[in-house]
Amino acid sequence: SQTIHQWPATLVQPVGSPLSLECTVEGTSNPNLYWYRQAAGRGLQLLFYSIGIDQISSEVPQNLSASRPQDRQFILSSKKLLLSDSGFYLCAWSVTQQGTGELFFGEGSRLTVL
Amino acid sequence: DAKTTQPNSMESNEEEPVHLPCNHSTISGTDYIHWYRQLPSQGPEYVIHGLTSNVNNRMASLAIAEDRKSSTLILHRATLRDAAVYYCILRPVWAGSYQLTFGKGTKLSVIP
């Protein structure tokens, strides 16, 4: 069966510090991968999605970046965090072939920038 | 992207049925209707989806209006574990439509 893992689960970082959140999917090949962010009291905002290695699309201009060094690994990074980067970050995957487009989400990483 | 409109919040008594409405008046003929729910401090989980016909699964039922401009997620017997934010989302089936856009959803509270 397929599984998705994110880490770290919680993170407290000072303004201006770097960020690296990692996501790994097991049990499937060539998945679509996604990073979402949920600010306090708000809906989910799609940040990045990837249909393959080195194929990453950004949905929102910001100081965040994403990379996909391996087929089932997706990394969210920042060189300098802002207060507004605080939130609940969710990694997700879906199958690339025709299907329901169902998204499977990880457990989430809660980031607090102070 | 086609948009959906949901009430911000709803309440239900435990063990009563719950009908969560969603309006999507600009839906196109190739948009699937998806429902997800998000429990507190967790990632969203898939609930159900449909195109034109009503759908049932172990979690819920989805009733789709004949003109497809609205739909209703039905939880047949609400439990405390069903307290969550429920998202109604449209997903186009054409190639390249890989991402789903989530709105604010409906926060369902279940009263014991």
Side-chain angles (χ1 to χ4, degrees):
Chain A
S1 64
Q2 301 90 357
T3 57
I4 178 170
H5 296 291
Q6 282 183 243
W7 66 94
T10 58
L11 200 58
V12 180
Q13 293 284 104
V15 169
S17 65
L19 171 73
S20 180
L21 299 178
E22 192 163 337
C23 172
T24 300
V25 179
E26 299 291 337
T28 188
S29 297
N30 195 28
N32 291 327
L33 295 172
Y34 312 80
W35 278 111
Y36 282 85
R37 176 173 62 196
Q38 188 171 36
R42 296 193 167 190
L44 275 73
Q45 179 186 36
L46 178 63
L47 301 175
F48 300 94
Y49 70 94
S50 171
I51 61 173
I53 293 177
D54 296 329
Q55 294 179 283
I56 299 170
S57 297
S58 173
E59 289 293 299
V60 181
Q62 62 226 323
N63 68 320
L64 299 173
S65 62
S67 62
R68 185 169 177 172
Q70 300 180 41
D71 179 46
R72 292 170 294 169
Q73 184 184 26
F74 207 22
I75 297 172
L76 183 69
S77 303
S78 174
K79 292 182 179 178
K80 287 186 177 182
L81 284 169
L82 306 173
L83 286 174
S84 57
D85 290 325
S86 293
F88 191 44
Y89 287 81
L90 289 154
C91 181
W93 74 273
S94 70
V95 295
T96 57
Q97 306 306 317
Q98 288 183 357
T100 65
E102 178 180 343
L103 282 178
F104 299 92
F105 285 85
E107 309 94 336
S109 298
R110 189 166 300 282
L111 171 66
T112 303
V113 182
L114 301 175
Chain B
D1 289 343
K3 292 189 175 179
T4 62
T5 305
Q6 299 177 253
N8 290 331
S9 62
M10 291 183 64
E11 276 189 355
S12 174
N13 293 318
E14 195 176 9
E15 300 193 3
E16 294 285 323
V18 182
H19 291 234
L20 297 164
C22 181
N23 288 321
H24 28 78
S25 59
T26 59
I27 190 171
S28 75
T30 54
D31 285 340
Y32 277 85
I33 303 160
H34 286 244
W35 283 82
Y36 284 74
R37 73 178 186 181
Q38 185 176 20
L39 302 173
S41 298
Q42 294 186 28
E45 64 173 340
Y46 167 82
V47 177
I48 201 167
H49 78 282
L51 184 62
T52 56
S53 303
N54 295 343
V55 184
N56 299 295
N57 66 20
R58 62 174 181 83
M59 291 182 70
S61 296
L62 176 60
I64 301 173
E66 197 170 333
D67 63 4
R68 300 206 332 121
K69 293 186 177 182
S70 65
S71 60
T72 302
L73 180 70
I74 302 166
L75 307 179
H76 296 287
R77 283 184 68 204
T79 69
L80 296 179
R81 287 194 68 254
D82 291 323
V85 177
Y86 287 78
Y87 298 98
C88 169
I89 300 154
L90 301 183
R91 185 224 172 216
V93 299
W94 41 267
S97 62
Y98 301 101
Q99 61 272 35
L100 297 180
T101 302
F102 288 74
K104 292 187 179 180
T106 297
K107 184 176 182 179
L108 175 66
S109 301
V110 179
I111 303 167

